[in-house]
Amino acid sequence: MQAFGSGAMTNSIREIRDADCIFITGSNTAESHPVIGYEVVRAARRGANVIIVDPRRIPLVDHATLFLQIKPGSDIYVFLAIMHTIIREGWEDRAFIDRRTEGYDALAAVLEEYTPERASLMSGVPVEQIEAAARIYALGERAGGASIYADGASGAGERGHSTILYAMGITQRSNGTDMVMTLANLAMLCGQIGKPSTGVNPLRGQSNVQGACDVGCLVDVLPGYQRVTDAEKREAMARAWEVERLPGEVGLTIVEAMHAAAEGRVRAMYVMGENPMMSDPDTSHVERTLRGLDLLVVQDIFPSETAQLAHVILPAAASLEKDGTVTNTERRVQMIQPVIAAPGESRPDWQITGELAARFDARMGIARQPGYWDFASSLAIFDELARVTPIYRGMSYGRLAGAGLQWPCPDASHPGTPILHGETFSRGRGKFNPVIARDPAELPDDDYPLMLTTGRVLYHYHSGTMTRRSEPLDWREPGGAVEIHPDDAAAIDLRDGAPVVVASRRGRVRARAQISERVPPGTVFLAFHWREAPANMLTHDFALDPVAKIPEYKVCAVRLENPQAGLVDRLRRSEGAAFRTSSR
């Protein structure tokens, strides 16, 4: 948003297969986004270079040209060193920089100190790999020869098309905003934006995350990313919603709200389709906080771990039981239709919240026009949404039939926008934002000498509320395993498949050890799907990104404990004593 004026995926999923270079960081794409992961495989088979920056050997590494295996939390140094190398070698796209961006000189000055040698020291990635990644990305080089596009961009002769894919591996960090701005800087530096198969492309973690953000489910914006602090936008929205005024203060993010509840400043919570008892950091603190509320309401399709603590549970209809729209990661708005009837007394979310709002008004003596809360259908809601959301304004249910439309779609004749920032950025000129490297908030020490990173596995989804109820999926992946490097396992005499305890300053989790070289020495990995081994009992919430207020899920200090340590020796001593007694 700060660099381009828009914070969404700049290009379309279909374009990935035609890229010359695909730069993936903070994303286990094949397991977390398997459809998009297959597009990457397809591109690699057609000759694209794939560069992966990750602390763990993820499945797509098998298709990669370069695998930059970093120490957890050190990727910022690698990104900055890649840009340092590009400028040093003259691979930047000067024509694009001069014509379409601002702030380049300030960026170049900061990058001078971030050499590949410094990045190698901090990250463990060899200098030659950093320099090779810089050349391949900047020039859009293909493994099999010339670019499909060969657009002849100035700056380094023929320049192919490079795309960046990223996900929560870099955003769920105390410097997540800096990480994303750095990727935006990299794309602008090389002119790799505004064209097919280029851009900066966040892969959303759930099916309608993009849509929820688009329509105002964020603490600082109204629908269409209109700032709540903008008095003009706020007044226009108040008129559309037929209210006297709207609050202009930025609200609390989920972790900030949990902190406020722990301090007694928030006394009630209404949780919809979320499971903070599994997905929030430091879940022991979350449990104490939720138990201390005067009122906890949970609206969901299944009784989650959070619902077990609720005073009231409101049963919602699942996606296959209702109609409406979802907006996917490429900004595509698509219609959904009910396939089966909703069970029991469950209802679509909008009906539940609408009736609650109407009851609040009645209790407070507020009179509304008919239809204000009791919408006739989801169609009526979408019509209002299009009216008050500029990027959706040209959309309607009639136009969404079939493949849907990609926003922005400003009027009824507009075809939608597959590629953002083609001629100009949403903010006018793209802005380079110089970034200073910062280390994770919690680093290993003598008491907790290892780094934990968390993520997902292919067979389960998020906190497991849905997928762990599927017998085939649960049979295929029934429980959590901690991936541990052989050197770290040997240090505590740990065998593959044996129980192991992972401990942090927040708590202890017992799971099965999976000894593997997928993780480097000093790093352990645990997926966060497992209620029997909740990874987020170990993570912390004391260091938030200063802009996005996201906690540092992906990096924290831990130690391993072998609960069977000494057991073999005790058995041997016991057997020896029994032998001596029988001999006598």
Side-chain angles (χ1 to χ4, degrees):
M1 182 73 76
Q2 295 182 44
F4 303 155
S6 171
M9 191 168 175
T10 61
N11 290 63
S12 301
I13 294 169
R14 171 61 178 77
E15 298 170 30
I16 294 170
R17 68 180 67 173
D18 294 328
D20 300 308
C21 169
I22 303 172
F23 187 101
I24 301 173
T25 182
S27 170
N28 181 2
T29 317
E31 295 193 86
S32 296
H33 303 89
V35 174
I36 295 175
Y38 185 70
E39 293 290 354
V40 175
V41 173
R42 181 176 291 177
R45 289 174 176 171
R46 298 175 66 181
N49 277 311
V50 177
I51 302 169
I52 294 177
V53 181
D54 204 287
R56 180 170 169 256
R57 185 183 175 90
I58 58 176
L60 277 181
V61 170
D62 293 341
H63 303 275
T65 309
L66 283 175
F67 173 38
L68 282 60
Q69 189 167 28
I70 55 169
K71 297 174 185 176
S74 65
D75 31 17
I76 186 68
Y77 292 96
V78 173
F79 300 158
L80 294 171
I82 285 174
M83 289 192 288
H84 172 101
T85 303
I86 289 168
I87 293 174
R88 184 192 70 197
E89 300 297 327
W91 295 328
E92 75 275 19
D93 190 336
R94 287 301 314 198
F96 182 92
I97 292 167
D98 294 342
R99 187 176 75 255
R100 296 196 51 190
T101 69
E102 61 186 13
Y104 170 76
D105 291 341
L107 174 75
V110 168
L111 290 175
E112 286 181 3
E113 63 181 279
Y114 290 100
T115 63
E117 290 75 16
R118 181 183 177 187
S120 180
L121 183 66
M122 299 301 295
S123 68
V125 178
V127 169
E128 56 270 21
Q129 283 194 347
I130 296 172
E131 293 176 338
R135 186 193 72 251
I136 293 170
Y137 174 82
L139 305 184
E141 289 186 356
R142 293 185 69 77
S147 161
I148 288 175
Y149 297 100
D151 59 8
S154 61
E158 263 190 9
R159 191 184 297 266
H161 288 197
S162 298
T163 186
I164 296 173
L165 307 180
Y166 75 87
M168 291 174 284
I170 66 166
T171 59
Q172 290 183 338
R173 304 264 289 277
S174 59
N175 63 340
T177 300
D178 284 351
M179 300 283 281
V180 175
M181 287 198 296
T182 300
L183 296 181
N185 290 340
L186 175 60
M188 290 188 293
L189 183 66
C190 303
Q192 296 287 6
I193 192 163
K195 302 177 293 188
S197 304
T198 62
V200 181
N201 298 291
L203 307 181
R204 303 307 189 194
Q206 299 192 56
S207 63
N208 201 32
V209 165
Q210 186 66 57
C213 298
D214 293 348
V215 303
C217 294
L218 294 169
V219 300
D220 59 342
V221 294
L222 297 161
Y225 304 98
Q226 302 172 92
R227 297 285 182 185
V228 298
T229 52
D230 186 324
E232 184 179 340
K233 302 289 188 186
R234 201 168 61 245
E235 290 168 7
M237 193 66 68
R239 288 192 298 272
W241 283 343
E242 301 173 17
V243 295
E244 184 177 335
R245 58 176 295 274
L246 291 171
E249 299 80 23
V250 173
L252 301 176
T253 63
I254 186 167
V255 176
E256 289 178 313
M258 206 64 72
H259 288 174
E263 297 164 6
R265 294 186 287 117
V266 168
R267 300 304 311 152
M269 285 191 176
Y270 179 13
V271 180
M272 290 177 58
E274 183 77 9
N275 191 11
M277 277 296 296
M278 287 287 290
S279 59
D280 275 24
D282 192 359
T283 48
S284 297
H285 174 262
V286 171
E287 181 176 358
R288 291 192 300 271
T289 300
L290 295 180
R291 289 185 182 277
L293 291 171
D294 294 337
L295 176 65
L296 175 61
V297 180
V298 171
Q299 184 170 313
D300 216 323
I301 63 174
F302 290 123
S304 65
E305 287 74 17
T306 305
Q308 306 300 325
L309 305 179
H311 300 95
V312 178
I313 300 177
L314 301 173
S319 60
L320 296 182
E321 300 162 356
K322 59 187 177 182
D323 65 353
T325 64
V326 296
T327 306
N328 75 355
T329 194
E330 64 174 1
R331 300 171 282 107
R332 185 178 298 277
V333 185
Q334 298 169 285
M335 291 182 65
I336 57 173
Q337 298 289 346
V339 176
I340 55 176
E345 297 181 75
S346 59
R347 306 186 200 176
D349 294 290
W350 64 267
Q351 290 183 11
I352 299 172
T353 52
E355 184 169 334
L356 278 174
R359 293 189 185 198
F360 278 130
D361 278 355
R363 179 71 64 89
M364 299 175 67
I366 299 174
R368 304 282 191 192
Q369 294 292 328
Y372 190 89
W373 291 119
D374 55 332
F375 290 95
S377 66
S378 65
L379 169 62
I381 298 174
F382 192 84
D383 285 345
E384 180 189 300
L385 166 64
R387 190 172 71 252
V388 301
T389 309
I391 56 178
Y392 281 58
R393 190 155 290 154
M395 297 185 188
S396 64
Y397 267 21
R399 296 197 68 204
L400 295 179
L405 291 167
Q406 289 173 272
W407 65 255
C409 181
D411 59 63
S413 63
H414 196 282
T417 310
I419 301 174
L420 295 179
H421 319 304
E423 298 299 327
T424 183
F425 287 96
S426 298
R427 68 179 301 277
R429 280 180 171 264
K431 183 179 180 182
F432 286 107
N433 293 276
V435 168
I436 304 297
R438 289 191 295 118
D439 293 325
E442 186 178 66
L443 294 170
D445 56 21
D446 291 341
D447 294 327
Y448 298 93
L450 306 175
M451 291 288 254
L452 170 71
T453 186
T454 66
R456 304 182 182 191
V457 299
L458 176 62
Y459 299 95
H460 288 291
Y461 177 69
H462 212 250
S463 63
T465 307
M466 294 178 285
T467 54
R468 297 204 66 194
R469 293 173 181 273
S470 165
E471 289 186 11
L473 295 177
D474 200 50
W475 171 83
R476 180 59 181 80
E477 200 76 58
V482 184
E483 291 184 11
I484 303 167
H485 190 273
D487 294 351
D488 298 320
I492 59 170
D493 196 22
L494 184 67
R495 297 186 178 184
D496 188 53
V500 64
V501 172
V502 186
S504 76
R505 291 178 175 84
R506 274 71 56 190
R508 296 158 59 84
V509 166
R510 184 185 178 102
R512 175 174 55 87
Q514 187 176 73
I515 298 176
S516 168
E517 293 190 353
R518 284 193 294 267
V519 291
T523 299
V524 297
F525 169 84
L526 178 61
F528 73 104
H529 312 297
W530 321 111
R531 56 182 171 273
E532 306 92 335
N536 282 319
M537 188 174 285
L538 306 171
T539 56
H540 63 79
D541 64 355
F542 61 79
L544 305 182
D545 180 277
V547 178
K549 309 299 183 183
I550 298 294
E552 196 151 55
Y553 286 99
K554 299 304 180 186
V555 188
C556 72
V558 297
R559 67 168 176 259
L560 298 178
E561 299 171 2
N562 184 352
Q564 297 180 334
L567 178 60
V568 174
D569 289 340
R570 290 196 298 273
L571 287 173
R572 286 172 178 165
R573 286 195 298 270
S574 175
E575 290 171 355
F579 175 77
R580 287 191 298 274
T581 301
S582 64
S583 298
R584 286 195 296 271

